[in-house]
């Protein structure tokens, strides 16, 4: 028995074995299962210690994760708070490195530490180099955690109102510090912040008073909370007025540029995307893929042309031909008043398809509710998913859809032509089933808290784009050329997102050039193209995440299919991939390829 354990210990990499022996953590006589259990316990204790410290500094992130007790705190965004984050990051980078040297970690645990190390280094970099808190006014908005506390039934309403009251007390100091922090505001971010914080007024004017009315609290308690709410409302109104003064004081064409430039873009890309390629390489790949999609779309448009325009010869220029066919097909769309209801109606059909074609496991106990996007969230994306955090296993997932109430009839028609009969289906696949909604359900069940909590945006968005391909390949749309063309158009949007993102922040792409890319080469309606230009201004790197994640997921699938041959099973691949939480695709690829190399199937 002793000889067997000694052989197992000797099989460890020599430097690590020496460190463990020197530290007294390993003995040739120690039973191997006991060592593994001890390592797991020590590792989990250190992760729990990290999370406890992290939630205390980042309570809004804690609320998103489902750790609602942290919601009582609303730290003011002062310079001192930013420096505290830097010290926290540096301290934990060193502490986690020591953990890696001290314990014989398995690959999954090493991956967790790599994710945390990247997150912490990105946090320190953002405070020291990006300094967005000085110029991005849209960072400052208190509405989200209040909305979570109001609408999620994780505790009885009186208990949630107690947390709300504590946060309300801190709102004036928060907004006072936020205004002082904006020393070089970007005008475009100021406008977004004004719009979103004006949307947040509804939280304090209506939602909190309504919650108080139905809370069952005594009159004195309600009056006390109402007084704090009134003070918070005044602070928010003062903040909006302060933002408007800042905007008015910036001369036309002045103010800090919203473009972050090559150096910051490349660094942010490394920390946020964590791809196997750098930003420039992804940009070049996107240009190549755009050309390939144009060739595919040319063929599909050629098939459809005679039926749509029987008496007219097709244009010689392929972009003109594709545009004409897309424009004609786009006439088929829902009425503005039926837009949200049509989205709701499609969700059950998508769920049935996924089950019938054995693509992925569903969980009927975790509902998906379609709702109008809260006003304080609008102004960036027209549709999104708000999923419960991994620490809130019973939470509801919301599919947020921007209503068309603010559109003129012309804008609504332009929007609905973009989200026509075929594209609206692809949007619902992307956002709901089997896209974001299902991916996040699986991620929240990951055995790794770290991989579930510190998800990689490129993996999340990449999966949603891959889900579109998965559904089309499984036969959704019936193989019709119309769906094929519209899917290619949608996929072209993913590719052009990456081109636009890199183009505007690194290469100085102008609005005219962006409109040419989006309207002429990506065949987007004017309303969609205008909104995408705005999104490229108020965000950076995120638009690259779709193509980065999708291309790497697809490459992994094809590698595994080639290795496994007839043993490859699509559903098994999907569920094995999603079992890694929301880890970067490059990390998941390494793990799955290594496992495939050592396992029979």
């Amino acid at each position: 028995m002793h000889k067997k354990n000694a052989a197992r210990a000797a099989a460890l990499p020599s430097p690590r074995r020496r460190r463990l022996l020197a530290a007294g953590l390993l003995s040739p006589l120690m039973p191997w299962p006991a060592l593994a259990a001890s390592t797991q316990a020590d590792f989990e204790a250190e992760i729990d210690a990290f999370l406890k410290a992290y939630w205390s500094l980042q309570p809004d992130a804690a609320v998103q994760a489902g750790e609602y007790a942290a919601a009582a705190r609303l730290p003011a965004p002062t310079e001192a708070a930013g420096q505290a984050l830097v010290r926290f990051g540096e301290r934990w980078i060193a502490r986690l490195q020591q953990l890696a040297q001290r314990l014989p970690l398995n690959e999954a645990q090493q991956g967790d530490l790599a994710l945390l190390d990247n997150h912490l280094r990105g946090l320190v970099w953002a405070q020291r180099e990006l300094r967005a808190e000085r110029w991005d006014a849209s960072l400052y908005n208190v509405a989200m955690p209040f909305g979570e506390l109001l609408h999620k039934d994780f505790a009885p309403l009186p208990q949630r109102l107690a947390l709300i009251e504590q946060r309300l007390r801190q709102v004036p100091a928060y907004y006072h510090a936020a205004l002082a922090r904006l020393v070089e505001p970007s005008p475009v971010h100021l406008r977004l912040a004004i719009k979103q914080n004006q949307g947040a007024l509804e939280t304090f004017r209506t939602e909190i008073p309504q919650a108080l009315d139905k809370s069952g609290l005594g009159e004195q308690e309600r009056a006390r909370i109402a007084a704090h709410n009134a003070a918070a409302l005044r602070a928010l109104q003062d903040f909006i007025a302060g933002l408007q003064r800042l905007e008015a004081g910036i001369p036309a064409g002045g103010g800090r540029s919203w473009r972050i430039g090559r150096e910051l873009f490349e660094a942010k890309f490394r920390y946020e995307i964590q791809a196997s390629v750098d930003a420039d390489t992804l940009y070049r790949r996107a240009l190549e893929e755009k050309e390939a999609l144009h060739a595919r779309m040319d063929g599909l448009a050629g098939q459809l042309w005679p039926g749509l325009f029987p008496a007219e010869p097709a244009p010689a220029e392929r972009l003109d031909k594709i545009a004409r066919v897309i424009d004609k097909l786009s006439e088929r769309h829902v009425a503005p008043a039926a837009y949200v209801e049509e989205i709701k109606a499609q969700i059950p059909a998508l769920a049935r398809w996924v089950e019938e074609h054995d693509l992925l496991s569903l969980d009927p106990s975790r509902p998906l509710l379609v709702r109008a996007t809260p006003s304080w969230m609008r102004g960036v994306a027209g549709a999104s998913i708000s999923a419960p955090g991994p620490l809130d296993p019973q939470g509801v997932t919301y599919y947020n859809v921007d209503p068309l109430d603010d559109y003129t009839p012309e804008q609504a028609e332009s929007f609905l032509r973009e989200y026509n009969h075929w594209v609206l289906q692809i949007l619902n696949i992307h956002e709901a089933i089997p896209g974001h909604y299902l991916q996040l359900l699986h991620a929240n069940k990951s055995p790794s808290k770290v991989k579930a909590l510190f998800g990689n945006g490129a993996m999340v968005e990449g999966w949603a784009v891959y889900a579109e391909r998965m559904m089309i390949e499984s036969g959704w749309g019936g193989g019709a050329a119309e769906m094929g063309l519209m899917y290619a158009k949608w996929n072209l949007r993913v590719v052009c997102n990456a081109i636009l993102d890199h183009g505007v922040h690194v290469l100085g792409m102008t609005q005219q050039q962006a409109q040419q890319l989006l309207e002429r080469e990506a065949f987007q309606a004017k309303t969609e193209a205008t909104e995408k230009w705005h999104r490229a201004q108020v965000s950076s790197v995120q638009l690259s995440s779709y193509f980065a994640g999708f291309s790497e997921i697809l490459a992994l699938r094809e590698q595994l299919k080639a290795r496994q041959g007839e043993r490859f099973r699509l559903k098994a691949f999907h569920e094995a991939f999603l079992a890694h939480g929301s880890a970067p695709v490059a990390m998941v690829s390494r793990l799955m390829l290594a496992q495939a190399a050592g396992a029979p199937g």
Side-chain angles (χ1 to χ4, degrees):
M1 186 69 171
H2 292 170
K3 289 181 180 179
K4 185 182 291 186
N5 288 325
R8 288 173 174 172
L12 285 170
S14 180
R16 175 170 287 181
R17 180 170 177 264
R18 287 197 299 269
R19 287 197 301 271
L20 296 172
L21 288 167
L25 295 171
L26 178 65
S27 165
L29 305 181
M30 181 181 289
W32 200 251
L35 175 62
S38 174
T39 297
Q40 183 68 19
D42 286 355
F43 180 81
E44 290 181 356
E46 196 73 348
I47 294 301
D48 287 342
F50 165 79
L51 290 174
K52 182 178 179 180
Y54 186 80
W55 299 144
S56 70
L57 284 175
Q58 302 274 61
D60 284 7
V63 173
Q64 284 186 299
E67 182 64 29
Y68 297 109
R73 297 188 63 252
L74 178 60
T78 61
E79 180 68 28
Q83 291 306 311
L85 274 177
V86 170
R87 292 192 298 272
F88 170 85
E90 292 177 333
R91 183 170 67 252
W92 273 97
I93 288 170
R95 184 165 166 176
L96 294 175
Q97 286 175 339
Q98 292 170 0
L99 179 68
Q101 294 172 351
R102 182 165 57 86
L103 296 179
L105 304 180
N106 60 36
E107 284 185 310
Q109 292 163 335
Q110 292 171 30
D112 285 354
L113 292 192
L115 278 179
L116 289 180
D117 183 80
N118 178 79
H119 179 78
L120 291 168
R121 291 181 189 276
L123 184 152
V124 172
W125 169 82
Q127 290 293 322
R128 286 182 168 164
E129 304 295 334
L130 185 63
R131 302 305 306 271
E133 72 281 352
R134 298 166 60 90
W135 50 267
D136 184 356
S138 69
L139 294 175
Y140 304 116
N141 192 324
V142 301
M144 185 279 291
F146 280 109
E148 298 283 288
L149 296 175
L150 284 166
H151 300 299
K152 292 197 171 178
D153 295 329
F154 61 89
L157 181 56
Q159 292 181 31
R160 288 182 278 135
L161 282 169
L163 292 172
I164 286 171
E165 179 181 9
Q166 293 181 68
R167 284 186 70 87
L168 287 170
R169 293 171 182 266
Q170 300 163 81
V171 169
Y174 175 94
Y175 277 127
H176 178 78
L179 201 58
R181 205 82 190 274
L182 290 168
V183 295
E184 47 175 348
S186 151
V188 68
H189 290 91
L190 276 174
R191 290 190 289 273
L192 176 61
I194 290 167
K195 178 179 179 178
Q196 291 186 329
N197 277 281
Q198 285 173 334
L201 291 169
E202 189 69 13
T203 300
F204 303 97
R205 285 175 174 164
T206 305
E207 293 183 358
I208 292 177
Q210 287 176 344
L212 285 173
D213 288 343
K214 61 182 182 182
S215 66
L217 294 173
E219 184 177 345
Q220 187 174 357
E221 287 178 284
R222 293 202 309 273
R224 186 183 67 242
I225 297 173
H228 292 308
N229 184 59
L233 175 60
R234 288 193 298 272
L236 175 53
Q237 291 169 327
D238 290 345
F239 180 64
I240 294 169
L243 295 179
Q244 291 169 331
R245 288 193 298 273
L246 286 175
E247 184 185 21
I250 298 174
R256 187 199 189 279
S257 172
W258 49 267
R259 303 179 196 269
I260 66 173
R262 177 179 290 277
E263 184 178 352
L264 291 176
F265 187 91
E266 290 178 346
K268 193 177 184 191
F269 184 95
R270 287 195 303 273
Y271 288 121
E272 293 189 5
I273 303 298
Q274 295 179 265
S276 59
V277 298
D278 61 16
D280 281 343
T281 302
L282 185 77
Y283 173 71
R284 291 193 298 272
R285 287 184 180 177
L287 291 174
E288 293 170 0
E289 185 63 17
K290 175 164 70 78
E291 177 62 26
L293 283 166
H294 280 166
R296 190 181 314 155
M297 295 171 79
D298 185 35
L300 290 166
Q303 293 177 38
L304 291 165
W305 184 273
L308 296 173
F309 307 101
E312 185 179 345
E317 165 54 49
R318 70 177 182 180
L319 294 184
D320 291 336
K321 177 172 62 177
I322 296 167
R324 285 284 305 278
V325 172
I326 288 175
D327 188 58
K328 184 66 176 176
L329 293 177
S330 297
E331 293 174 1
R332 184 178 174 186
H333 61 73
V334 300
Y339 174 62
V340 176
E341 291 306 313
E342 177 63 21
I343 288 176
K344 291 179 180 178
Q346 286 185 16
I347 304 303
L350 292 170
R352 285 194 301 272
W353 184 276
V354 168
E355 286 191 310
E356 290 169 0
H357 290 77
D358 205 27
L359 298 175
L360 200 59
S361 297
L362 303 181
D363 185 351
S365 69
R366 302 295 297 276
L368 173 66
L369 297 182
V370 179
R371 69 174 179 181
T373 306
S375 55
W376 46 268
M377 285 176 60
R378 298 176 194 172
V380 179
S384 63
I385 287 288
S386 294
L391 306 181
D392 181 16
Q394 302 306 315
V396 173
T397 301
Y398 292 103
Y399 181 178
N400 307 306
V401 180
D402 284 10
L404 307 183
D405 304 348
D406 294 337
Y407 282 179
T408 65
E410 294 76 16
Q411 289 173 325
E413 175 65 15
S414 176
F415 179 89
L416 291 168
R417 288 177 68 86
E418 180 70 24
Y419 293 92
N420 56 56
H421 170 74
W422 297 275
V423 171
L424 189 58
Q425 297 172 53
I426 302 170
L427 173 69
N428 290 329
I429 291 169
H430 179 102
E431 296 293 344
I433 298 173
H436 286 317
Y437 163 64
L438 277 190
Q439 185 269 319
L440 292 168
L441 277 185
H442 281 260
N444 285 353
K445 297 176 181 179
S446 168
S448 165
K449 284 186 287 190
V450 171
K451 292 185 178 74
L453 289 166
F454 296 91
N456 173 257
M459 183 274 173
V460 173
E461 295 297 354
W463 171 264
V465 177
Y466 170 78
E468 303 156 14
R469 172 70 66 91
M470 174 211 309
M471 291 289 280
I472 296 297
E473 288 176 340
S474 71
W476 181 270
E482 292 88 346
M483 177 59 88
L485 182 63
M486 287 301 181
Y487 168 68
K489 175 183 181 293
W490 181 272
N491 203 227
L492 188 60
R493 173 195 297 223
V494 169
V495 171
C496 288
N497 278 350
I499 296 171
L500 178 69
D501 193 28
H502 192 274
V504 298
H505 288 287
V506 176
L507 304 178
M509 180 183 283
T510 65
Q511 182 173 3
Q512 183 178 4
Q513 292 170 326
Q515 297 286 136
Q516 164 74 13
L517 171 71
L518 298 173
E519 294 183 42
R520 171 67 173 165
E521 299 181 57
F523 312 104
Q524 293 179 12
K526 190 171 190 64
T527 298
E528 177 68 21
T530 300
E531 291 180 353
K532 188 59 63 67
W533 166 252
H534 175 254
R535 184 171 169 184
Q537 291 176 290
V538 299
S539 69
S540 55
V541 170
Q542 195 273 335
L543 282 171
S544 296
S545 63
Y546 302 85
F547 183 58
F550 164 66
S551 56
E552 294 199 330
I553 295 171
L554 194 60
L556 171 62
R557 187 189 75 176
E558 296 310 300
Q559 282 182 278
L560 288 171
K561 284 176 71 174
R563 287 191 182 189
Q564 296 175 348
E566 294 182 355
R567 292 182 289 106
F568 180 83
R569 296 292 180 268
L570 191 60
K571 183 178 182 180
F573 165 71
H574 293 155
E575 300 203 335
F577 180 82
L578 294 181
H580 291 277
S582 299
V585 182
M587 178 185 293
V588 179
S589 295
R590 287 193 299 272
L591 293 170
M592 290 186 68
L593 290 170
Q595 184 179 25

